[in-house]
Amino acid sequence: MNALANNPTAQAVDNVLIYIFGFSLILLLGITVVTVWLVIKYHRSKHPEPTSEVSHSILLETIWTLLPTLIVLTMFWYGWTNYTGLREVPEGALEVKATARMWSWTFEYPDGQRASKLYVPVGKPIKVQLISTDVLHSFFAPAFRIKRDTVPGMETYIWFEATEPGSYDIFCAEYCGVGHADMTTSIEALNEADFAAWQQPKATGGEARGLAVMNELGCVGCHSLDGSEGIAPSLFQLAGQKRNLASGGEITINAEYLKRAIRDPNAEVVAGYDPMMPAYDENTMNDADLQAVVDYLLGKVQKPVAPKIDARALLENNGCIGCHSNDGSESIAPTFKGLGSRQVTIIRDNEEKTIKVDAAYLRQALLNPNKELVKGFPAIMPSADYLSDEEIDALVQYLLQQ
């Protein structure tokens, strides 16, 4: 699908192309017409001998020197002004980080969400920060006329704006190895409602309102939910607990105490902690949210169910499918099909060894992929150490079942 004609980046490039092509066409036609006219008028059969004694013409020499110079200068000026427009990102642009690696793209949003396709809202400028983890790649979206190299160790960017919903191709336009031709993905331009729905967490199991309020207000930045101690008391299983106060005495945690501790936290400070918690008045936390937080802390609502991790989505969103197939076909990396039931020959300490694929091997292959290379495949896989332990475990279990 092509972008609309009023797409800002596409229009800037197209206008320069039309301007240069238009002048080139006019000059081509003009020179051709004059050449044909001169051939006919001064054909040898009509003028066997030269009759003109003119050696030069200041006027003509001035015209054919100045005119092309002015035309080339206008081409440069028009091209330069439109180029600078391609580098000046409009205010309010949504920033997305695009990471290129052999041979896939990964897009990360400000909220930490990752995807293997670039999902964007229609009508909003998008700034794409380009990063390469290995070799030279090039981000090329032809519908928007944008192309920019991604160089290892150097951050750069491009921007664009989708003016109508649709799916637009993204290619790597710089040869980056044997999987270069497969390094493709797309820009998915969604209307405002669809993009908002896509941004919603994909987790299963609802989140209690009380916990949502605490996340929004940053409470869990100081208070843990699992019993571990930090710079503030843990909020784990509070109902009925007794706490010593810095002012002396002891208090039993109940709904009344929690409400006081939220509205006026420094009136009854727990012993061993600094009085640094801000007060949450009705303007910051209304009574309904206050009650929801208290009910959650006292266990009167069901704690949120840990979301089930979609291992296949993890593989797709982190670019693994760009190198590993699911159908048994071998390419630049071993296939996932039948992985949990086969043996592989690995290179360990410069020696070949055949092992059975198990959970321990897969975990190491994800976190330290180049320590034990599968024979016949290059050392190109990046470490997945940015994933959580739960995500690593989900991937291991998924791969063992293939």
Side-chain angles (χ1 to χ4, degrees):
M1 182 182 291
N2 293 321
L4 288 178
N6 61 350
N7 179 281
T9 53
Q11 194 172 43
V13 175
D14 289 351
N15 287 345
V16 175
L17 177 63
I18 292 171
Y19 184 78
I20 295 175
F21 180 79
F23 262 118
S24 301
L25 181 61
I26 292 172
L27 290 174
L28 174 63
L29 293 176
I31 293 171
T32 302
V33 169
V34 171
T35 302
V36 172
W37 178 75
L38 290 174
V39 168
I40 295 174
K41 182 175 177 61
Y42 296 102
H43 193 270
R44 184 181 296 272
S45 62
K46 295 181 179 180
H47 302 278
E49 298 293 335
T51 59
S52 175
E53 297 181 357
V54 176
S55 61
H56 65 278
S57 171
I58 298 297
L59 178 61
L60 287 177
E61 292 172 359
T62 302
I63 291 175
W64 68 51
T65 299
L66 291 181
L67 185 60
T69 301
L70 291 174
I71 292 174
V72 171
L73 287 176
T74 60
M75 290 179 178
F76 170 79
W77 174 83
Y78 199 31
W80 175 254
T81 54
N82 280 278
Y83 172 78
T84 56
L86 295 175
R87 303 301 294 162
E88 296 173 355
V89 183
E91 293 184 3
L94 172 64
E95 294 194 13
V96 182
K97 183 171 74 173
T99 301
R101 60 170 58 91
M102 297 186 290
W103 288 273
S104 64
W105 298 96
T106 302
F107 303 98
E108 184 174 349
Y109 293 79
D111 62 358
Q113 191 167 354
R114 287 169 171 259
S116 58
K117 295 182 178 181
L118 180 52
Y119 291 89
V120 301
V122 169
K124 186 178 182 64
I126 309 297
K127 179 181 179 181
V128 184
Q129 296 175 312
L130 300 172
I131 298 172
S132 173
T133 62
D134 38 46
V135 299
L136 183 66
H137 300 282
S138 187
F139 183 98
F140 178 40
F144 300 94
R145 316 295 193 267
I146 50 176
K147 178 180 177 293
R148 196 77 179 174
D149 288 350
T150 62
V151 182
M154 183 179 76
E155 291 190 18
T156 185
Y157 67 91
I158 51 93
W159 79 272
F160 67 94
E161 180 182 335
T163 53
E164 69 172 17
S167 182
Y168 308 96
D169 292 328
I170 296 176
F171 300 100
C172 176
E174 195 74 40
Y175 182 72
C176 53
V178 295
H180 165 70
D182 296 322
M183 192 171 171
T184 61
T185 184
S186 63
I187 296 170
E188 300 296 326
L190 309 175
N191 60 42
E192 186 176 351
D194 290 340
F195 183 74
W198 176 82
Q199 281 189 309
Q200 294 301 313
K202 309 302 188 295
T204 60
E207 183 181 77
R209 175 58 188 162
L211 178 58
V213 172
M214 290 192 292
N215 283 328
E216 292 168 3
L217 296 177
C219 307
V220 294
C222 298
H223 301 272
S224 77
L225 299 175
D226 59 3
S228 59
E229 294 294 341
I231 59 176
S234 175
L235 302 178
F236 181 69
Q237 296 182 350
L238 290 181
Q241 284 192 25
K242 297 183 182 297
R243 294 281 173 86
N244 294 323
L245 300 178
S247 58
E250 185 182 73
I251 193 167
T252 300
I253 296 178
N254 55 26
E256 289 71 25
Y257 165 73
L258 289 175
K259 290 180 180 180
R260 293 197 306 272
I262 293 171
R263 293 294 194 210
D264 188 12
N266 296 327
E268 297 171 310
V269 179
V270 175
Y273 296 95
D274 296 327
M276 61 182 185
M277 177 175 164
Y280 293 92
D281 58 21
E282 292 184 1
N283 293 325
T284 308
M285 183 188 298
N286 60 39
D287 289 339
D289 286 344
L290 175 63
Q291 188 63 53
V293 170
V294 171
D295 288 344
Y296 176 82
L297 294 177
L298 294 179
K300 294 182 180 180
V301 294
Q302 183 179 4
K303 297 296 190 291
V305 178
K308 181 180 180 181
I309 297 174
D310 188 341
R312 183 177 178 84
L314 272 179
L315 293 174
E316 292 177 352
N317 292 339
N318 288 279
C320 307
I321 304 302
C323 298
H324 302 269
S325 74
N326 283 318
D327 59 4
S329 59
E330 297 287 357
S331 58
I332 54 180
T335 182
F336 287 146
K337 186 175 182 179
L339 186 60
S341 60
R342 72 171 184 254
Q343 294 183 329
V344 294
T345 300
I346 61 172
I347 309 298
R348 179 190 296 168
D349 298 328
N350 296 322
E351 295 183 0
E352 293 186 12
K353 186 175 182 180
T354 300
I355 64 169
K356 174 73 169 62
V357 174
D358 56 16
Y361 166 73
L362 288 176
R363 173 174 285 274
Q364 177 164 278
L366 289 166
L367 297 175
N368 190 5
N370 296 324
K371 183 176 182 179
E372 297 178 338
L373 293 175
V374 177
K375 183 180 178 180
F377 295 97
I380 57 175
M381 177 174 165
S383 172
D385 54 6
Y386 54 86
L387 297 178
S388 67
D389 289 340
E390 293 78 10
E391 290 172 323
I392 293 294
D393 289 340
L395 288 177
V396 169
Q397 293 304 314
Y398 175 83
L399 293 174
L400 287 174
Q401 295 169 8
Q402 298 309 298

